[in-house]
Amino acid sequence: MTNTQVPNAQDDPNTQNPNAQVPAVRSRPATPPPAVAVRPSVRDRGARLLAALFLAPTVVGIVVFTVVPIIGSIVLSLFHWNVIDPPRFAGGANYRTTFTDSTVLVSFRNTLLFMVLAVALQLLIALALALAVNGRMPVWLRSVFRSAFFFPLVLSAASISVVMKYLFNQDFGVVNWLIGLVGVAPVPWLTSEHAAMATVILVYVWQQFGFSFLLFVGGLNNIPKEIHEAAALDGATGLRKHLGITLPLLSPTLLVASVVGIINALQVFEQPYVLTDGGPGDATRTVVMVIYERAFEQLDFGEASAVGVLLFALIMAVTAVQFRLSRRFVHYQ
């Protein structure tokens, strides 16, 4: 009898052992589907076309009335041109004349002085009035103050200057009549060197502060009330609260108001032209007045363009300095 040996399950490689560890099977990463170019839908194309149509008038206006005149002024500053004769190339002669002309240099000095005093006074008055209006008062009274302070801005600067010229007249002006009631001698508001510049600044600020006022009112309304309430619980009140909380949170609005105010002040023309005609002497003559006189009175458009290019460079430089300093002093929420 032959003994048949039964193979052991452990010796049979085909027999599965339930206790044996099955090696993990690595799954191949799924291959991403090929990228399919997504074509914009008709609705997206229509929205883009509509946006372009809405932006087109503004873009065309900026190009036609800002970019083209700037390029034209730069080119014209390199020529001698009196409108009658053909232009003659001058190179840098107009700029050399500008830097040696005492009237031009005085006008730049007056403009810078006017800018510093007018913008500082404008921002100070606008901020003080905005804080006062934003305080506790009825809503209707707040609306009255907003309209009253903004109203001079919608009027023509020339018409306001004509009225103010009569009010500040030394002989029959209302201002001298009022101060005469308290025994003060008549003041030469428009014929004295220092008083004339002060009068021009006061008239300019009276008309322009309404814009900064509305900016500050909007900025104050955007400051969360919870911050002021928390500061009040910590004991911050009055001037301490405004210096430590209100001004830092209002710094973006201050930046916008100062940039717009400085750009407008550097281009002042109507007030000094109507009130004093640049006098007495050259005490109130500004850069834009010099550009007007060179171009439309002396018909020297090349030199007028050179002065305009220098004013444009000054505006760009001052604005760049402001934005550079804003990185340190402007705080965003």
Side-chain angles (χ1 to χ4, degrees):
M1 181 176 181
T2 305
N3 294 330
T4 305
Q5 295 181 356
V6 179
N8 192 353
Q10 296 179 355
D11 298 335
D12 189 359
N14 297 325
T15 305
Q16 295 181 355
N17 187 356
N19 296 326
Q21 295 182 355
V22 180
V25 179
R26 296 182 180 179
S27 59
R28 295 183 178 179
T31 304
V36 180
V38 180
R39 300 179 62 184
S41 62
V42 177
R43 183 177 181 180
D44 292 339
R45 291 196 298 268
R48 294 175 183 177
L49 179 60
L50 185 62
L53 291 177
F54 277 112
L55 293 174
T58 301
V59 174
V60 172
I62 292 175
V63 171
V64 173
F65 297 106
T66 301
V67 177
V68 172
I70 289 175
I71 298 175
S73 297
I74 295 174
V75 174
L76 191 58
S77 67
L78 303 176
F79 290 84
H80 290 304
W81 187 45
N82 60 359
V83 182
I84 301 173
D85 300 323
R88 293 180 293 107
F89 183 75
N94 290 325
Y95 291 96
R96 289 192 294 269
T97 303
T98 298
F99 283 114
T100 58
D101 192 332
S102 60
T103 302
V104 176
L105 298 178
V106 169
S107 69
F108 272 96
R109 184 199 65 185
N110 293 338
T111 302
L112 290 174
L113 177 63
F114 177 88
M115 176 201 72
V116 173
L117 297 178
V119 173
L121 186 61
Q122 174 183 338
L123 296 181
L124 183 62
I125 293 176
L127 180 58
L129 292 176
L131 290 173
V133 171
N134 201 56
R136 296 181 179 179
M137 67 172 54
V139 177
W140 66 269
L141 185 59
R142 187 177 303 172
S143 301
V144 170
F145 280 122
R146 289 180 180 178
S147 301
F149 293 151
F150 186 76
F151 180 71
L153 192 62
V154 302
L155 300 177
S156 169
S159 61
I160 289 178
S161 299
V162 170
V163 175
M164 292 296 179
K165 187 174 184 178
Y166 284 101
L167 293 179
F168 284 99
N169 187 278
Q170 181 178 357
D171 299 323
F172 53 84
V174 176
V175 176
N176 277 340
W177 177 77
L178 290 175
I179 63 177
L181 297 178
V182 295
V184 179
V187 178
W189 297 104
L190 302 176
T191 56
S192 173
E193 181 177 349
H194 299 290
M197 178 61 76
T199 304
V200 172
I201 291 174
L202 288 176
V203 173
Y204 176 86
V205 170
W206 180 80
Q207 184 185 12
Q208 294 292 328
F209 82 92
F211 176 77
S212 301
F213 167 77
L214 287 185
L215 288 180
F216 289 144
V217 169
L220 291 172
N221 289 332
N222 288 331
I223 298 177
K225 296 182 180 180
E226 293 80 5
I227 298 179
H228 288 293
E229 294 174 355
L233 294 177
D234 292 337
T237 57
L239 183 61
R240 181 182 176 186
K241 180 183 68 174
H242 292 315
L243 293 177
I245 298 175
T246 305
L247 285 182
L249 294 178
L250 200 62
S251 55
T253 308
L254 278 169
L255 174 64
V256 174
S258 62
V259 169
V260 175
I262 287 177
I263 292 176
N264 290 335
L266 288 174
Q267 301 177 83
V268 62
F269 172 75
E270 294 93 340
Q271 289 84 359
Y273 181 77
V274 176
L275 288 171
T276 63
D277 196 20
D282 291 329
T284 58
R285 195 172 308 279
T286 62
V287 178
V288 179
M289 288 185 64
V290 172
I291 296 174
Y292 172 80
E293 292 167 357
R294 294 288 192 275
F296 299 103
E297 292 181 3
Q298 302 176 13
L299 295 181
D300 192 347
F301 283 87
E303 186 175 343
S305 299
V307 178
V309 171
L310 293 177
L311 178 60
F312 173 74
L314 176 62
I315 293 174
M316 295 299 293
V318 173
T319 305
V321 170
Q322 285 183 278
F323 279 101
R324 182 70 177 180
L325 294 177
S326 68
R327 300 178 182 179
R328 182 177 301 178
F329 298 106
V330 176
H331 307 279
Y332 296 95
Q333 299 182 16

